[in-house]
Structure formats: structure tokens, C-alpha cells
Amino acid sequence: QVQLVESGGGLVQAGGSLRLSCAASGRTFSNYAMGWFRQAPGKEREFVATISGIGGNTLYADSVKGRFTISRDYAKNTVYLQMNSLKPEDTAVYYCAAGPPYSITPRRREDEYEIWGQGTQVTVSS
């Protein structure tokens, strides 16, 4: 069974840091585009960051550029999202997703991602 499981969410004060993890099982995702999305209360889910399957090319939403870093550990079949300088507006449920295999170009559209995790809550207090 193919599964993505996020972890690392929690409550943090503004200016703090968190590292989210997305562990994949049931399949090797080393050649897959992997992305992070988030959904705040009352808002639509939005793109946060992605890393391509080939070349490890990354792309970030303007709102997190310079603060968040996406990376992947091929040996552990895990993708990470390091979040620094957190702001209250970063509060949301964060979702990990697996996109098309053998992609070189970073993918930011939700409809390009087929497999989703259950999400992990990130709350940033002011």
C-alpha cells in the first residue's frame, strides 16, 4: 500500500522553527516530484514548495521563499520541509504529496499530484 505520512507539526512561537517530515512507504519515490501544500482555516489549499524527481530542482511560493527549505533523503525515502522564521500566517495543516515520476521541472499545481498524506498541523503563535 502506497502511503505518505507527515510528522513534525506542532505549536511554535513566531520566529521559531519546525521541520516537517514526509515518510513514504509502499513504493520508492526517489524519482517522483514531491511537494508540500498547506491549508489554513477558511482558505483553499495552496502550494508551498516542491522538489523535482530528477535533479532535485526546487520551487517555493513567494510567501515562504527564503524561510522554508525543501529537501529529500533518498535512502530514507523521506522528504523534509525546514521552516524558519515562522509567522502566524504560516498556521495551517501541511500536506505532503507525490507527483509525476522522472520530472525535471518543479511542479506546483495540485492536480499534478496523485498521492497525498493525511496532513500535520502547524500553529504559530504571535
Side-chain angles (χ1 to χ4, degrees):
Q1 181 181 0
V2 177
Q3 196 173 14
L4 299 176
V5 178
E6 301 98 334
S7 61
L11 173 64
V12 64
Q13 288 188 332
S17 299
L18 283 174
R19 188 178 79 156
L20 305 183
S21 299
C22 172
S25 62
R27 181 192 300 175
T28 298
F29 285 92
S30 58
N31 291 323
Y32 283 69
M34 299 296 294
W36 286 96
F37 294 79
R38 68 185 181 186
Q39 186 167 22
K43 295 187 177 181
E44 294 186 352
R45 189 158 57 186
E46 65 175 1
F47 165 77
V48 176
T50 183
I51 186 166
S52 67
I54 303 297
N57 300 305
T58 59
L59 182 67
Y60 298 91
D62 288 343
S63 58
V64 307
K65 200 174 297 182
R67 300 187 297 121
F68 291 11
T69 303
I70 187 171
S71 62
R72 63 198 306 168
D73 185 325
Y74 292 94
K76 295 183 178 180
N77 214 20
T78 299
V79 176
Y80 303 98
L81 185 67
Q82 178 67 44
M83 305 186 296
N84 298 328
S85 302
L86 283 161
K87 305 175 181 179
E89 50 264 44
D90 294 320
T91 295
V93 177
Y94 283 71
Y95 297 91
C96 171
Y102 306 109
S103 61
I104 297 176
T105 304
R107 308 298 179 100
R108 64 179 299 154
R109 285 169 33 200
E110 277 192 50
D111 60 3
E112 296 185 281
Y113 290 81
E114 294 185 350
I115 302 169
W116 291 79
Q118 83 290 350
T120 185
Q121 176 70 47
V122 171
T123 302
V124 184
S125 63
S126 57

